[in-house]
C-alpha cells in the first residue's frame, strides 16, 4: 500500500524541478526504471524463491528503496516549495 501510494511522488518532484523539454526525458526514465524494477522482482522470484524462500525475496526486494531513501538526502528543494516560503531568489 505504501509503495503504491508513494509512487506518484517522483513524478511530482520531477514536474516541479525541471523545464518542459527535460521533463519528457526524465518522465520516460522514471517509467523505464519502473519497468526495470518489475523485471528485477520477477527475476529475483524465479532465481531464489524456491531455494531461499520468501523472506530472502522480501529482503532483497527492498534494496532499491533503501538506495532511494539514502539518495533523497541529496535532493534539492522544489521551486514551488521555495516560492511558498518566500525564497524567490533561490
Amino acid at each position: 500500500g505504501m509503495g503504491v501510494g508513494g509512487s506518484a511522488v517522483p513524478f511530482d518532484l520531477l514536474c516541479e524541478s525541471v523545464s518542459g523539454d527535460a521533463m519528457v526525458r526524465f518522465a520516460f526514465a522514471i517509467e523505464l526504471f519502473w519497468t526495470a524494477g518489475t523485471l528485477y522482482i520477477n527475476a529475483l522470484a524465479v532465481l531464489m524463491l524456491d531455494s531461499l524462500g520468501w523472506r530472502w525475496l522480501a529482503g532483497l526486494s527492498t534494496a532499491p528503496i533503501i538506495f532511494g531513501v539514502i539518495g533523497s538526502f541529496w535532493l534539492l528543494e522544489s521551486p514551488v516549495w521555495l516560492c511558498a516560503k518566500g525564497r524567490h531568489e533561490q
Side-chain angles (χ1 to χ4, degrees):
M2 193 166 123
V4 173
S7 65
V9 173
F11 292 105
D12 294 340
L13 289 172
L14 176 73
C15 291
E16 291 181 357
S17 60
V18 297
S19 66
D21 294 337
M23 189 184 323
V24 174
R25 289 191 306 273
F26 286 124
F28 177 75
I30 287 177
E31 289 297 327
L32 187 64
F33 280 111
W34 186 280
T35 303
T38 302
L39 294 173
Y40 169 74
I41 194 65
N42 286 323
L44 277 179
V46 167
L47 294 173
M48 69 177 13
L49 193 56
D50 289 335
S51 60
L52 296 175
W54 67 269
R55 287 182 179 93
W56 276 93
L57 177 64
L60 289 175
S61 65
T62 61
I65 194 65
I66 291 170
F67 293 127
V69 168
I70 292 170
S72 70
F73 291 106
W74 286 275
L75 284 175
L76 302 174
E77 291 90 358
S78 76
V80 173
W81 183 84
L82 288 171
C83 288
K85 298 295 181 184
R87 295 162 58 181
H88 301 286
E89 68 281 349
Q90 291 178 323

XYZ file of all heavy atoms in Angstrom:
684
model
N 0.814 -1.195 0.000
C 0.000 0.000 0.000
C 0.852 1.249 0.000
O 0.598 2.182 -0.737
N 1.870 1.286 0.850
C 2.674 2.492 0.955
C 3.483 2.724 -0.324
O 3.648 3.859 -0.760
C 3.618 2.371 2.143
C 4.264 3.660 2.527
S 4.992 3.478 4.136
C 6.661 3.900 3.785
N 3.967 1.658 -0.941
C 4.720 1.807 -2.182
C 3.863 2.308 -3.319
O 4.291 3.149 -4.110
N 2.633 1.829 -3.395
C 1.738 2.275 -4.456
C 1.328 3.725 -4.232
O 1.295 4.531 -5.156
C 0.498 1.353 -4.545
C -0.516 1.890 -5.525
C 0.922 -0.050 -4.917
N 1.065 4.085 -2.993
C 0.689 5.470 -2.693
C 1.820 6.445 -2.925
O 1.604 7.586 -3.334
N 3.042 6.025 -2.663
C 4.182 6.906 -2.843
C 4.745 6.910 -4.236
O 5.692 7.635 -4.522
N 4.167 6.117 -5.120
C 4.721 6.025 -6.473
C 4.554 7.301 -7.275
O 5.269 7.510 -8.246
C 4.096 4.847 -7.222
O 2.716 5.070 -7.426
N 3.636 8.173 -6.889
C 3.440 9.422 -7.621
C 4.418 10.502 -7.185
O 4.568 11.502 -7.879
C 2.011 9.915 -7.436
N 5.088 10.329 -6.061
C 5.989 11.359 -5.543
C 7.113 11.694 -6.520
O 7.390 12.875 -6.755
C 6.530 10.950 -4.158
C 7.601 11.911 -3.679
C 5.389 10.874 -3.161
N 7.798 10.713 -7.133
C 8.857 11.095 -8.087
C 8.331 11.928 -9.253
O 9.019 12.838 -9.713
C 9.403 9.758 -8.585
C 9.061 8.779 -7.527
C 7.778 9.267 -6.937
N 7.117 11.652 -9.708
C 6.563 12.440 -10.804
C 6.301 13.870 -10.365
O 6.549 14.812 -11.108
C 5.272 11.798 -11.315
C 5.493 10.487 -12.001
C 5.174 9.302 -11.376
C 6.037 10.438 -13.268
C 5.383 8.089 -12.001
C 6.261 9.238 -13.906
C 5.931 8.055 -13.264
N 5.802 14.069 -9.149
C 5.563 15.422 -8.645
C 6.856 16.194 -8.500
O 6.947 17.365 -8.888
C 4.843 15.364 -7.297
C 3.448 14.789 -7.429
O 2.899 14.799 -8.547
O 2.907 14.320 -6.409
N 7.873 15.557 -7.932
C 9.171 16.218 -7.798
C 9.748 16.567 -9.156
O 10.333 17.638 -9.346
C 10.147 15.324 -7.033
C 9.883 15.153 -5.544
C 10.819 14.098 -4.967
C 10.040 16.464 -4.814
N 9.577 15.678 -10.100
C 10.082 15.913 -11.446
C 9.397 17.110 -12.085
O 10.049 17.994 -12.639
C 9.868 14.665 -12.299
C 10.264 14.771 -13.751
C 11.774 14.766 -13.872
C 9.660 13.648 -14.535
N 8.090 17.171 -12.009
C 7.339 18.251 -12.653
C 7.655 19.609 -12.047
O 7.591 20.624 -12.725
C 5.846 17.976 -12.560
S 5.332 16.588 -13.582
N 8.009 19.633 -10.766
C 8.297 20.901 -10.117
C 9.730 21.363 -10.313
O 10.043 22.514 -10.050
C 8.018 20.792 -8.615
C 6.565 20.660 -8.287
C 6.325 20.571 -6.797
O 7.311 20.553 -6.040
O 5.163 20.524 -6.394
N 10.611 20.501 -10.758
C 12.014 20.881 -10.742
C 12.712 20.929 -12.095
O 13.870 21.322 -12.138
C 12.790 19.933 -9.812
O 12.676 18.613 -10.265
N 12.050 20.551 -13.186
C 12.710 20.615 -14.493
C 11.827 21.344 -15.491
O 10.617 21.465 -15.309
C 13.064 19.211 -15.041
C 14.056 18.513 -14.144
C 11.839 18.369 -15.216
N 12.443 21.803 -16.575
C 11.697 22.504 -17.622
C 10.934 21.509 -18.489
O 11.117 20.302 -18.376
C 12.659 23.324 -18.481
O 13.512 22.464 -19.192
N 10.114 22.024 -19.373
C 9.256 21.184 -20.202
C 9.995 20.194 -21.081
O 9.593 19.040 -21.203
N 11.085 20.622 -21.704
C 11.819 19.722 -22.587
C 12.476 18.577 -21.829
O 12.424 17.424 -22.244
C 12.894 20.494 -23.358
C 12.287 21.497 -24.320
O 11.123 21.311 -24.709
O 12.985 22.465 -24.671
N 13.091 18.901 -20.711
C 13.767 17.874 -19.925
C 12.763 16.974 -19.209
O 13.058 15.819 -18.929
C 14.701 18.517 -18.915
N 11.578 17.507 -18.924
C 10.577 16.733 -18.201
C 10.186 15.467 -18.956
O 10.000 14.409 -18.354
C 9.330 17.584 -17.946
C 8.342 16.935 -17.013
S 6.806 17.863 -16.786
C 7.306 19.545 -16.794
N 10.099 15.552 -20.258
C 9.723 14.384 -21.058
C 10.783 13.294 -20.942
O 10.461 12.124 -20.735
C 9.505 14.786 -22.532
C 9.264 13.570 -23.401
C 8.354 15.771 -22.645
N 12.037 13.688 -21.046
C 13.121 12.701 -20.930
C 13.166 12.071 -19.542
O 13.320 10.862 -19.403
C 14.464 13.348 -21.262
C 14.623 13.674 -22.730
C 16.055 14.060 -23.053
N 16.584 15.131 -22.229
C 16.448 16.425 -22.496
N 15.799 16.800 -23.579
N 16.979 17.337 -21.701
N 13.013 12.896 -18.514
C 13.063 12.364 -17.153
C 11.840 11.510 -16.838
O 11.954 10.499 -16.142
C 13.201 13.493 -16.137
C 14.571 14.096 -16.117
C 14.743 15.446 -16.313
C 15.693 13.316 -15.904
C 15.992 16.019 -16.293
C 16.957 13.867 -15.879
C 17.108 15.227 -16.077
N 10.676 11.887 -17.326
C 9.479 11.065 -17.103
C 9.633 9.710 -17.788
O 9.236 8.679 -17.237
C 8.240 11.785 -17.612
N 10.222 9.716 -18.978
C 10.492 8.449 -19.653
C 11.465 7.595 -18.851
O 11.293 6.385 -18.736
C 11.051 8.706 -21.064
C 11.423 7.451 -21.791
C 10.444 6.632 -22.315
C 12.753 7.075 -21.918
C 10.778 5.458 -22.971
C 13.101 5.911 -22.574
C 12.108 5.097 -23.103
N 12.480 8.227 -18.264
C 13.450 7.488 -17.451
C 12.784 6.881 -16.225
O 13.076 5.742 -15.850
C 14.591 8.407 -17.035
N 11.861 7.610 -15.608
C 11.151 7.062 -14.449
C 10.326 5.852 -14.862
O 10.317 4.828 -14.174
C 10.277 8.143 -13.785
C 11.165 9.124 -13.033
C 9.262 7.522 -12.836
C 10.412 10.277 -12.403
N 9.644 5.949 -15.977
C 8.867 4.806 -16.450
C 9.766 3.628 -16.807
O 9.410 2.472 -16.578
C 8.021 5.204 -17.663
C 6.870 6.121 -17.328
C 5.864 5.486 -16.404
O 5.642 4.261 -16.470
O 5.290 6.220 -15.600
N 10.923 3.924 -17.348
C 11.873 2.868 -17.687
C 12.361 2.157 -16.426
O 12.438 0.927 -16.386
C 13.051 3.455 -18.463
C 14.058 2.474 -19.033
C 13.383 1.589 -20.082
C 15.217 3.227 -19.641
N 12.651 2.923 -15.379
C 13.083 2.312 -14.123
C 11.949 1.547 -13.451
O 12.184 0.556 -12.764
C 13.667 3.355 -13.175
C 15.084 3.715 -13.514
C 15.392 4.958 -14.016
C 16.101 2.792 -13.337
C 16.692 5.291 -14.340
C 17.410 3.112 -13.651
C 17.703 4.362 -14.152
N 10.709 2.002 -13.628
C 9.563 1.267 -13.100
C 9.497 -0.116 -13.742
O 9.316 -1.130 -13.074
C 8.284 2.058 -13.385
C 7.057 1.484 -12.782
C 6.315 0.433 -13.255
C 6.416 1.901 -11.592
N 5.255 0.187 -12.434
C 5.298 1.081 -11.404
C 6.672 2.909 -10.671
C 4.436 1.226 -10.329
C 5.816 3.051 -9.611
C 4.729 2.221 -9.444
N 9.676 -0.161 -15.047
C 9.682 -1.442 -15.763
C 10.872 -2.302 -15.342
O 10.726 -3.509 -15.138
C 9.724 -1.189 -17.277
O 8.596 -0.362 -17.629
C 9.655 -2.472 -18.060
N 12.039 -1.679 -15.189
C 13.217 -2.431 -14.754
C 13.009 -3.006 -13.356
O 13.431 -4.132 -13.069
C 14.452 -1.531 -14.780
N 12.342 -2.283 -12.495
C 12.041 -2.787 -11.160
C 11.103 -3.980 -11.189
O 11.260 -4.932 -10.410
N 10.137 -3.941 -12.089
C 9.239 -5.079 -12.242
C 10.000 -6.305 -12.724
O 9.793 -7.419 -12.224
C 8.118 -4.733 -13.233
O 7.421 -3.570 -12.752
C 7.133 -5.862 -13.378
N 10.881 -6.118 -13.676
C 11.702 -7.227 -14.155
C 12.651 -7.726 -13.069
O 12.886 -8.929 -12.939
C 12.479 -6.810 -15.400
C 11.630 -6.506 -16.633
C 12.502 -5.947 -17.749
C 10.885 -7.740 -17.081
N 13.177 -6.814 -12.259
C 14.073 -7.171 -11.163
C 13.382 -8.086 -10.160
O 13.913 -9.126 -9.775
C 14.566 -5.887 -10.484
C 15.289 -6.076 -9.170
C 16.584 -6.575 -9.136
C 14.679 -5.734 -7.971
C 17.248 -6.730 -7.930
C 15.331 -5.893 -6.766
C 16.622 -6.387 -6.751
O 17.264 -6.540 -5.556
N 12.175 -7.727 -9.745
C 11.489 -8.537 -8.744
C 11.069 -9.887 -9.319
O 11.115 -10.909 -8.631
C 10.291 -7.781 -8.126
C 9.798 -8.478 -6.855
C 9.155 -7.640 -9.088
C 10.776 -8.488 -5.750
N 10.701 -9.919 -10.585
C 10.363 -11.192 -11.210
C 11.588 -12.098 -11.331
O 11.501 -13.306 -11.090
C 9.735 -10.980 -12.583
C 8.322 -10.471 -12.483
O 7.570 -10.866 -11.605
N 7.966 -9.574 -13.379
N 12.730 -11.521 -11.692
C 13.957 -12.314 -11.794
C 14.378 -12.841 -10.423
O 14.789 -13.994 -10.293
C 15.071 -11.475 -12.406
N 14.259 -11.990 -9.395
C 14.572 -12.462 -8.049
C 13.675 -13.621 -7.639
O 14.140 -14.608 -7.062
C 14.407 -11.328 -7.035
C 15.544 -10.360 -6.860
C 15.186 -9.308 -5.827
C 16.819 -11.065 -6.464
N 12.394 -13.514 -7.941
C 11.451 -14.576 -7.564
C 11.790 -15.881 -8.270
O 11.783 -16.948 -7.653
C 10.028 -14.142 -7.886
N 12.099 -15.812 -9.553
C 12.428 -17.028 -10.303
C 13.715 -17.652 -9.772
O 13.819 -18.869 -9.625
C 12.546 -16.718 -11.813
C 13.192 -17.853 -12.566
C 11.174 -16.407 -12.382
N 14.707 -16.819 -9.471
C 16.010 -17.340 -9.078
C 16.085 -17.839 -7.635
O 16.824 -18.774 -7.349
C 17.084 -16.262 -9.288
C 17.340 -15.859 -10.728
C 18.295 -14.680 -10.782
C 17.889 -17.039 -11.522
N 15.328 -17.247 -6.731
C 15.575 -17.591 -5.343
C 14.376 -18.014 -4.515
O 14.562 -18.482 -3.400
C 16.251 -16.419 -4.646
C 15.368 -15.241 -4.476
S 16.125 -13.875 -3.580
C 17.806 -14.251 -3.529
N 13.184 -17.888 -5.008
C 12.024 -18.191 -4.183
C 12.004 -19.645 -3.734
O 11.764 -19.936 -2.558
C 10.731 -17.831 -4.920
C 9.466 -17.807 -4.084
C 9.611 -16.868 -2.902
C 8.282 -17.404 -4.920
N 12.282 -20.562 -4.637
C 12.268 -21.978 -4.264
C 13.445 -22.361 -3.373
O 13.302 -23.178 -2.461
C 12.269 -22.857 -5.519
C 10.945 -22.794 -6.254
O 9.916 -22.501 -5.607
O 10.947 -23.044 -7.476
N 14.613 -21.766 -3.613
C 15.799 -22.187 -2.855
C 15.943 -21.463 -1.518
O 16.255 -22.086 -0.509
C 17.051 -21.978 -3.704
O 17.176 -20.616 -4.053
N 15.716 -20.166 -1.477
C 15.946 -19.404 -0.253
C 14.667 -19.036 0.492
O 14.718 -18.700 1.669
C 16.739 -18.132 -0.556
C 18.150 -18.349 -1.084
C 18.784 -17.033 -1.463
C 19.002 -19.077 -0.061
N 13.554 -19.010 -0.188
C 12.292 -18.709 0.468
C 11.861 -17.264 0.334
O 12.592 -16.416 -0.159
N 10.675 -16.995 0.809
C 10.062 -15.681 0.629
C 10.711 -14.606 1.488
O 10.675 -13.431 1.136
C 8.563 -15.748 0.899
C 8.206 -16.028 2.339
C 8.006 -17.240 2.908
C 8.026 -15.055 3.364
N 7.704 -17.099 4.231
C 7.711 -15.755 4.544
C 8.096 -13.671 3.417
C 7.463 -15.129 5.750
C 7.852 -13.040 4.626
C 7.536 -13.761 5.777
N 11.313 -14.979 2.608
C 11.940 -13.965 3.463
C 13.133 -13.310 2.761
O 13.318 -12.095 2.834
C 12.361 -14.597 4.783
C 11.186 -14.910 5.684
C 11.638 -15.482 7.007
N 10.509 -15.761 7.855
C 9.876 -16.929 7.928
N 10.281 -17.932 7.175
N 8.847 -17.099 8.732
N 13.949 -14.102 2.094
C 15.066 -13.556 1.335
C 14.573 -12.720 0.162
O 15.148 -11.679 -0.158
C 15.984 -14.669 0.841
C 16.973 -15.094 1.870
C 16.841 -16.121 2.769
C 18.221 -14.485 2.127
N 17.946 -16.182 3.558
C 18.822 -15.193 3.195
C 18.902 -13.421 1.571
C 20.057 -14.854 3.700
C 20.151 -13.092 2.073
C 20.706 -13.800 3.121
N 13.520 -13.179 -0.468
C 12.944 -12.417 -1.579
C 12.449 -11.060 -1.087
O 12.717 -10.031 -1.718
C 11.799 -13.199 -2.228
C 11.065 -12.483 -3.355
C 11.996 -12.226 -4.527
C 9.860 -13.290 -3.794
N 11.751 -11.045 0.030
C 11.268 -9.775 0.583
C 12.422 -8.870 0.974
O 12.396 -7.653 0.728
C 10.371 -10.045 1.783
N 13.467 -9.440 1.567
C 14.613 -8.631 1.968
C 15.365 -8.032 0.802
O 15.698 -6.850 0.808
N 15.629 -8.832 -0.212
C 16.372 -8.317 -1.371
C 15.538 -7.395 -2.247
O 16.094 -6.567 -2.967
C 16.926 -9.478 -2.192
C 18.073 -10.226 -1.520
C 18.472 -11.436 -2.354
C 19.267 -9.310 -1.317
N 14.233 -7.523 -2.190
C 13.408 -6.616 -2.988
C 13.338 -5.225 -2.379
O 12.895 -4.287 -3.038
C 12.001 -7.191 -3.162
O 11.346 -7.259 -1.908
N 13.797 -5.060 -1.147
C 13.832 -3.734 -0.539
C 15.106 -2.962 -0.865
O 15.209 -1.780 -0.527
C 13.692 -3.825 0.989
O 14.783 -4.582 1.504
C 12.380 -4.440 1.392
N 16.082 -3.593 -1.501
C 17.355 -2.919 -1.795
C 17.177 -1.627 -2.603
O 17.771 -0.600 -2.239
C 18.299 -3.877 -2.506
N 16.370 -1.597 -3.663
C 16.244 -0.340 -4.408
C 15.651 0.807 -3.581
O 16.080 1.953 -3.710
C 15.312 -0.705 -5.572
C 15.494 -2.167 -5.745
C 15.714 -2.704 -4.368
N 14.694 0.509 -2.721
C 14.098 1.591 -1.931
C 15.073 2.103 -0.881
O 15.064 3.289 -0.548
C 12.748 1.168 -1.302
C 11.989 2.378 -0.776
C 12.948 0.189 -0.183
C 11.556 3.335 -1.808
N 15.936 1.229 -0.378
C 16.950 1.688 0.585
C 17.897 2.675 -0.092
O 18.218 3.730 0.465
C 17.703 0.489 1.183
C 16.753 -0.304 2.089
C 18.939 0.938 1.945
C 17.300 -1.627 2.547
N 18.312 2.362 -1.313
C 19.157 3.301 -2.058
C 18.410 4.598 -2.352
O 18.990 5.683 -2.318
C 19.652 2.671 -3.357
C 20.608 1.539 -3.137
C 20.379 0.315 -3.737
C 21.720 1.680 -2.334
C 21.251 -0.745 -3.543
C 22.599 0.636 -2.126
C 22.362 -0.581 -2.733
N 17.124 4.500 -2.633
C 16.322 5.696 -2.896
C 16.182 6.594 -1.674
O 16.265 7.818 -1.778
N 15.975 5.995 -0.515
C 15.857 6.788 0.712
C 17.181 7.470 1.034
O 17.212 8.647 1.393
C 15.381 5.896 1.885
C 15.516 6.609 3.212
C 13.949 5.465 1.664
N 18.273 6.754 0.886
C 19.587 7.358 1.130
C 19.833 8.493 0.141
O 20.306 9.566 0.509
C 20.694 6.290 1.059
C 20.557 5.322 2.236
C 22.074 6.928 1.039
C 21.434 4.091 2.133
N 19.494 8.278 -1.119
C 19.687 9.312 -2.136
C 18.797 10.527 -1.950
O 19.120 11.619 -2.412
N 17.673 10.375 -1.254
C 16.756 11.501 -1.075
C 17.349 12.611 -0.223
O 16.885 13.749 -0.274
C 15.437 11.023 -0.469
O 15.624 10.635 0.878
N 18.379 12.319 0.548
C 19.017 13.353 1.350
C 19.784 14.359 0.490
O 20.131 15.438 0.965
C 19.945 12.723 2.396
C 19.203 11.981 3.462
C 19.203 10.610 3.482
C 18.481 12.663 4.427
C 18.524 9.909 4.464
C 17.783 11.988 5.403
C 17.802 10.612 5.430
N 20.058 14.031 -0.753
C 20.771 14.931 -1.657
C 19.847 15.644 -2.637
O 20.321 16.362 -3.505
C 21.861 14.161 -2.416
C 23.018 13.844 -1.536
C 24.080 14.660 -1.267
C 23.240 12.643 -0.799
N 24.940 14.037 -0.404
C 24.442 12.794 -0.093
C 22.531 11.462 -0.649
C 24.955 11.808 0.733
C 23.041 10.479 0.173
C 24.231 10.653 0.853
N 18.537 15.484 -2.486
C 17.590 16.187 -3.348
C 17.532 17.663 -2.979
O 17.613 18.023 -1.800
C 16.186 15.602 -3.208
C 15.915 14.284 -3.891
C 14.501 13.805 -3.541
C 16.052 14.420 -5.388
N 17.368 18.492 -3.967
C 17.201 19.922 -3.732
C 15.743 20.207 -3.398
O 14.853 19.420 -3.703
C 17.610 20.700 -4.980
C 19.038 20.476 -5.467
C 19.245 21.193 -6.789
C 20.025 20.951 -4.436
N 15.500 21.370 -2.777
C 14.125 21.776 -2.531
C 13.452 22.076 -3.863
O 14.080 22.542 -4.800
C 14.073 23.034 -1.646
C 14.511 22.811 -0.224
C 16.011 23.026 -0.034
O 16.699 23.316 -1.033
O 16.475 22.880 1.093
N 12.144 21.839 -3.928
C 11.434 22.096 -5.182
C 11.190 23.596 -5.327
O 11.037 24.320 -4.332
C 10.113 21.346 -5.219
O 9.156 21.977 -4.414
N 11.133 24.090 -6.560
C 10.867 25.513 -6.784
C 9.531 25.973 -6.201
O 9.423 27.087 -5.707
C 10.867 25.642 -8.312
C 11.728 24.525 -8.773
C 11.482 23.410 -7.809
N 8.526 25.138 -6.233
C 7.220 25.508 -5.673
C 7.334 25.714 -4.165
O 6.802 26.676 -3.608
C 6.164 24.427 -6.016
C 4.866 24.694 -5.305
C 5.963 24.360 -7.516
N 8.063 24.819 -3.472
C 8.237 24.948 -2.031
C 9.023 26.205 -1.690
O 8.693 26.928 -0.746
C 8.941 23.707 -1.482
C 9.088 23.724 0.006
C 8.175 23.336 0.929
C 10.238 24.173 0.742
N 8.673 23.501 2.197
C 9.948 24.018 2.105
C 11.468 24.678 0.379
C 10.844 24.360 3.108
C 12.357 25.012 1.379
C 12.044 24.854 2.719
N 10.087 26.475 -2.465
C 10.887 27.669 -2.218
C 10.055 28.930 -2.382
O 10.165 29.861 -1.576
C 12.097 27.696 -3.165
C 13.197 26.680 -2.876
C 14.208 26.667 -4.008
C 13.869 26.954 -1.549
N 9.223 28.993 -3.412
C 8.358 30.148 -3.621
C 7.331 30.301 -2.497
O 7.026 31.402 -2.069
C 7.660 30.074 -4.978
S 8.769 30.366 -6.346
N 6.788 29.196 -2.050
C 5.808 29.242 -0.958
C 6.433 29.759 0.327
O 5.745 30.379 1.139
C 5.211 27.855 -0.738
N 7.718 29.523 0.518
C 8.414 30.010 1.707
C 9.001 31.401 1.510
O 9.680 31.916 2.388
C 9.559 29.040 2.088
C 9.069 27.662 2.433
C 8.214 27.698 3.685
C 7.750 26.303 4.030
N 6.858 26.271 5.173
N 8.746 32.018 0.354
C 9.235 33.361 0.084
C 10.700 33.437 -0.299
O 11.298 34.497 -0.271
N 11.286 32.345 -0.678
C 12.700 32.303 -1.050
C 12.820 32.326 -2.569
O 13.329 31.414 -3.206
C 13.351 31.067 -0.451
C 13.361 31.114 1.074
C 13.593 29.803 1.752
N 14.843 29.153 1.369
C 15.217 27.982 1.841
N 14.464 27.327 2.696
N 16.357 27.437 1.445
N 12.368 33.421 -3.180
C 12.304 33.539 -4.645
C 13.674 33.587 -5.301
O 13.826 33.192 -6.454
C 11.480 34.765 -5.031
C 10.082 34.740 -4.510
N 9.121 33.912 -5.051
C 9.493 35.387 -3.484
C 7.986 34.073 -4.395
N 8.177 34.955 -3.440
N 14.667 34.098 -4.607
C 15.995 34.226 -5.215
C 16.663 32.877 -5.429
O 17.533 32.759 -6.262
C 16.895 35.120 -4.348
C 17.283 34.532 -2.992
C 16.198 34.650 -1.932
O 15.205 35.352 -2.140
O 16.347 34.014 -0.877
N 16.274 31.873 -4.709
C 16.881 30.557 -4.886
C 16.173 29.824 -5.982
O 16.603 28.895 -6.526
C 16.821 29.761 -3.578
C 17.720 30.346 -2.523
C 17.628 29.581 -1.208
O 16.545 29.130 -0.837
N 18.735 29.444 -0.533
